[in-house]
DNA sequence: CTGCAAGTTGAAGCGAGGTTCAACTCAAGG
DNA sequence: CCTTGAGTTGAACCTCGCTTCAACTTGCAG
């Protein structure tokens, strides 16, 4: 029992439901070989991919964007620590940005608590990203990116 | 043109689409009077409600929870600065919590960048909220609450 | 070789947070 | 009065990130 993980094992070890793993595969976020009987066998390096996906989600990145990022990994070989480090660094900057945004929100909120204003334009608070306008149909990302 | 805002005006001033405003009304988050011809007329204080809703969304609160919070406002009178301040204080704590979570994520990520590990259990990084398990059907909140 | 857990698929469904549409009605300036 | 832009409704649709289901097939311990 070296190398290959079944979907159940990957699910257990990553904490991600099997159905979610299959979904990720459909989206091209992870990959699996198949046994002669068509069952998925995951290389251990997929564990890192899954971890990366979940972390990126927490940073507020959509699965589509995560896919783009993962596509930058070398397909020919198992990604090295360095490969991962490069990606992590990129997300780190996003995280920092998000944190800054939250902190600004908090500080603005502090300023407003005194006056109870929440008066949109008068406050810096409202709409911190200057994203007043329309963006097309469908659901919106509730949280800032 | 004092007091009452049309839906178009509220949309323009709040930066929220008319369709979203009607949706919020269906959910009971905001209220409007009606003209004799059945058109909505919003009290100016609804501007603050809308602002509050958008801010709370940024903090990662669902519309349902926002509704619960807004229900705590006095229905009989226009909310005072103090009323709003109370709500804001409550959200501030949530915000702080979220910021802490993000910072922890960032610090953990920093630790991992060196080794490129992302190795789930070995790192503190993965799944910071200890929320490994199942939660029932439907979409999941992507970002920590 | 049997039995049972674990795996397979595609299609359908869910929940959140809206948008879009058609078919009207209202408000107000000229 | 007429026109035109703004507003009305309910129902249908959308995206995202999954889960659930039914109907099978595989893998493996005994």
């Amino acid at each position: 029992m070296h190398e290959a993980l079944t979907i159940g094992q990957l699910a257990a070890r990553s904490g991600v439901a099997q159905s979610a793993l299959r979904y990720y595969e459909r989206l091209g976020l992870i990959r699996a070989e198949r046994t002669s009987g068509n069952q998925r066998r995951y290389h251990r390096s997929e564990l890192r991919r899954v971890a990366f996906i979940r972390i990126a989600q927490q940073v507020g990145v959509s699965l589509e964007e995560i896919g783009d990022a993962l596509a930058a990994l070398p397909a020919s070989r198992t990604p090295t620590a360095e490969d991962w480090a490069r990606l992590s660094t990129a997300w780190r900057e996003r995280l920092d940005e998000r944190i800054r945004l939250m902190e600004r929100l908090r500080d603005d909120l502090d300023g407003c608590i005194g006056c109870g204003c929440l008066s949109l334009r008068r406050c810096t608070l409202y709409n911190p990203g200057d994203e007043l306008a329309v963006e097309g149909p469908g659901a919106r990302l509730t949280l800032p990116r």
Side-chain angles (χ1 to χ4, degrees), chain A:
Chain A
M1 49 166 244
H2 190 50
E3 286 284 303
L5 298 169
T6 66
I7 192 170
Q9 291 168 331
L10 184 56
R13 300 185 64 93
S14 67
V16 174
Q18 302 188 12
S19 56
L21 292 175
R22 294 199 191 94
Y23 179 65
Y24 291 165
E25 186 175 333
R26 277 221 310 283
L27 299 188
L29 301 183
I30 57 177
R31 284 168 48 180
E33 267 106 64
R34 297 301 182 116
T35 64
S36 59
N38 197 37
Q39 296 197 354
R40 289 172 179 82
R41 289 299 178 254
Y42 296 94
H43 193 271
R44 306 195 80 83
S45 63
E46 295 303 293
L47 267 166
R48 279 187 189 169
R49 277 189 169 248
V50 176
F52 182 79
I53 292 165
R54 300 305 271 199
I55 289 162
Q57 282 191 305
Q58 301 212 19
V59 181
V61 184
S62 72
L63 291 182
E64 192 179 344
E65 286 185 282
I66 294 170
D68 294 347
L70 287 175
L73 285 176
S76 51
R77 55 180 171 77
T78 299
T80 65
E82 217 169 310
D83 291 324
W84 286 113
R86 245 186 300 107
L87 287 198
S88 298
T89 308
W91 290 147
R92 208 222 119 119
E93 273 153 34
R94 293 189 74 136
L95 229 193
D96 278 344
E97 210 177 294
R98 265 178 76 73
I99 290 174
R100 274 197 301 278
L101 218 152
M102 290 273 141
E103 280 168 346
R104 180 175 156 199
L105 194 56
R106 179 189 61 191
D107 295 344
D108 289 348
L109 192 54
D110 270 0
C112 282
I113 284 176
C115 64
C117 68
L118 288 173
S119 70
L120 307 197
R121 314 272 188 206
R122 259 165 62 200
C123 263
T124 33
L125 184 53
Y126 187 69
N127 197 38
D130 282 344
E131 296 173 16
L132 270 184
V134 191
E135 275 172 16
R140 264 86 209 285
L141 187 53
T142 289
L143 291 143
R145 333 183 332 152

